[in-house]
Amino acid sequence: MAVTSVEPLSAKHVLIKLTDDKPLPEMMPGQFVEVRVDDSPTTFLRRPISINNVDRERNELWLMVAAIGDGTRRLARLRKGDTLNCVLPLGNGFTMPVSPSERVLLVGGGVGVAPLLYFGCQIRRQGGEPTFLLGARTAADLLELELFKAVGRVFVTTEDGSEGEKGFVTNHSLLASEHFDRISTCGPKPMMMAVARYAKASSTDCEVSLENKMACGVGACLCCVEKTTEGNVCVCKEGPVLNINKLSWQI
């Protein structure tokens, strides 16, 4: 795929926009892409990256990348006109609301907010209004905030209190004042487990997008195995989105 732009989102995050000479395939919110990292001697395997958004008018795929290792730092140095080898779409996505009136809460932390933008856009296209609860260490770490605000209601927590309420997402006053029919979340595992505990306590259906290491994306390498109530599964094929009732988490 051809790179159309690489835009900085923060000191360590970039948004890579890609296009192709043919129409992009159908993609579900929560699915991911396996990208090959060229010219990085220490990067031997593809990197899984969540689908951040799909712009059908421009035939563009958006990928949010956190430049924290050799491979992702190389991706962050891509420029317009470069080519990126991608395998897509992979995995299973989030469950879409059954009706526009369904109240859906999308909870994200750090780079885990990436798949929630596309999910929110799809909910909006169906006539619904998603609610986002986004967490970060500081205000500078909040990503694509204005884009989220254009799609639905946005509530924010930061650990230092520099924006929104101070603390973690599960401490936000929103959770004590409103009821939701469904919760979908992506981010660090401790955050997702805390969200899962809240969902279980409030008898709210909840899906999590797991961030296990996925080297192949097709269930061959077995490095992304997760223990579930139905046995071990490959997150890249059975997930990355799974209902918390299927997981063996001690919550």
Side-chain angles (χ1 to χ4, degrees), residues 82-111:
D82 288 345
T83 299
L84 188 62
N85 186 293
C86 301
V87 179
L88 75 156
L90 298 169
N92 293 307
F94 293 106
T95 301
M96 292 297 298
V98 295
S99 72
S101 62
E102 189 171 340
R103 292 173 55 80
V104 183
L105 177 64
L106 310 183
V107 184
V111 75

Side-chain angles (χ1 to χ4, degrees), residues 132-136 142 145 154-158 163-166 172:
F132 299 100
L133 178 53
L134 309 176
L142 291 165
L145 199 55
V154 176
F155 298 85
V156 168
T157 66
T158 49
E163 185 156 345
E165 294 187 13
K166 184 176 182 179
H172 198 285

Side-chain angles (χ1 to χ4, degrees), residues 89-163:
L90 298 169
N92 293 307
F94 293 106
T95 301
M96 292 297 298
V98 295
S99 72
S101 62
E102 189 171 340
R103 292 173 55 80
V104 183
L105 177 64
L106 310 183
V107 184
V111 75
V113 304
L116 302 184
L117 179 63
Y118 184 40
F119 191 16
C121 288
Q122 294 297 87
I123 293 174
R124 173 66 77 175
R125 289 190 184 99
Q126 290 189 351
E129 182 185 27
T131 299
F132 299 100
L133 178 53
L134 309 176
R137 288 192 176 91
T138 71
D141 298 315
L142 291 165
L143 306 170
E144 300 185 320
L145 199 55
E146 294 307 312
L147 292 176
F148 282 105
K149 289 179 179 178
V151 175
R153 298 191 304 156
V154 176
F155 298 85
V156 168
T157 66
T158 49
E159 292 179 27
D160 66 353
S162 53
E163 185 156 345

